[in-house]
Amino acid sequence: MLHSLPLFHRLTGQPVIVLGHGEAAEAKRRLVQRAGGQVVEDLAEGIDTGARLAFIAHEDEGAARADAIRARGAGLLVNVVDRPELCDFTTPSLVDRDPVIIAVGTGGASAGLAKALRLRLERLLPQGLGALADALFRARGGMRSRWPTGSERRRALDAALDEGGALDPLREQAGDAVSGWLAGDAAADAGTFAIALRSADPDDLTLREARWLGQADAVVAGPGVPGAILARARADAARLSPADPLPDQGIVVRISAASAGN
């Protein structure tokens, strides 16, 4: 189960309350401004101007708790620095490849761990990743013309963005990569694939099995298949029982439960 729901909140032009002094408060002010928000440093003023979020960075725990209670009572969502038990939301460590944003969060357990993961990802992701996203956005009309249905478009794009694919996002792409892919032979995977579980641990899935689940249009699983395995499938993939009729196109993944001895 997710300990919290990750969301991307649009702040451009919106008032955001930031209370406190010192390095932590300044970091929150910079974060709000980086997202286009307007920093308000007075709680009452922020409430009056329609703020929906409040960052509280007091060193004194009593003052932080009191302001958190006041802000929450006014209907705001509250983040209290270094006090996850007082938070309605936490702020992740960000990898910025505009418009691609990758957020790494630990639910307030360890900001240091989130930062270390973010720095590792920074080295892995090419600087041109945002340009690839923009090119794919501009190509939506062309993709609709070539693949009329949503499932056809998704399968073609999944194949292109897969490891080693024409648009592999972990490779630096040429400026015309998307138009070249769209004009070329962009075959999309389809078919029925079987996964025989070796255990209830999703980490025991092979890379190929994990890719099938991530790209599936439909997942066929009986009651013995663990929820942790099903959580690796596309969120909008159809969930079917073994008795249900199978779709006649797309990627269908059949999962059989691990034997009792595993």
Side-chain angles (χ1 to χ4, degrees):
M1 188 179 87
L2 292 172
H3 61 71
S4 55
L5 179 64
L7 300 171
F8 288 92
H9 195 99
R10 295 186 184 277
L11 293 182
T12 302
Q14 300 296 314
V16 179
I17 297 168
V18 182
L19 305 179
H21 302 282
E23 182 179 339
E26 284 303 314
K28 298 303 183 187
R29 291 185 181 95
R30 289 194 299 270
L31 180 64
V32 170
Q33 291 165 347
R34 183 178 171 190
Q38 298 178 350
V39 174
V40 179
E41 299 187 13
D42 180 84
L43 182 57
E45 180 185 348
I47 292 170
D48 289 343
T49 55
R52 293 172 291 177
L53 302 177
F55 292 94
I56 298 172
H58 297 310
E59 293 185 4
D60 179 80
E61 182 175 356
R65 188 177 296 273
D67 275 346
I69 291 171
R70 288 175 59 207
R72 192 173 290 113
L76 279 75
L77 296 176
V78 176
N79 172 274
V80 183
V81 174
D82 290 336
R83 293 180 175 87
E85 73 280 2
L86 298 179
C87 292
D88 297 311
F89 68 95
T90 56
T91 51
S93 192
L94 299 177
V95 180
D96 187 359
R97 297 288 188 274
D98 184 42
V100 177
I101 301 172
I102 297 173
V104 181
T106 63
S110 173
L113 174 59
K115 182 180 77 171
L117 291 171
R118 187 256 301 170
L119 292 173
R120 192 77 58 90
L121 289 170
E122 286 277 10
R123 295 196 293 269
L124 288 174
L125 299 177
Q127 290 297 320
L129 188 59
L132 174 61
D134 286 333
L136 287 170
F137 179 80
R138 293 192 298 270
R140 290 182 304 166
M143 286 191 281
R144 288 193 186 97
S145 297
R146 181 162 184 182
W147 300 287
T149 70
S151 59
E152 288 175 322
R153 289 192 296 275
R154 186 186 52 74
R155 289 196 302 275
L157 193 55
D158 281 348
L161 294 172
D162 199 4
E163 183 177 359
L167 302 177
D168 185 341
L170 294 190
R171 274 198 331 244
E172 197 68 56
Q173 299 288 343
D176 60 351
V178 172
S179 58
W181 161 73
L182 193 57
D185 180 15
D189 289 337
T192 299
F193 305 92
I195 299 176
L197 297 179
R198 293 160 292 279
S199 78
D201 187 348
D203 287 339
D204 285 340
L205 293 167
T206 67
L207 291 176
R208 179 176 296 175
E209 290 167 346
R211 184 170 66 247
W212 288 340
L213 284 171
Q215 297 178 349
D217 295 287
V219 177
V220 182
V225 175
I229 298 291
L230 293 174
R232 295 294 179 96
R234 281 180 59 231
D236 54 351
R239 264 52 169 185
L240 305 177
S241 75
D244 292 328
L246 298 183
D248 56 6
Q249 62 180 351
I251 296 176
V252 178
V253 179
R254 289 180 175 270
I255 310 175
S256 56
S259 64
N262 289 346

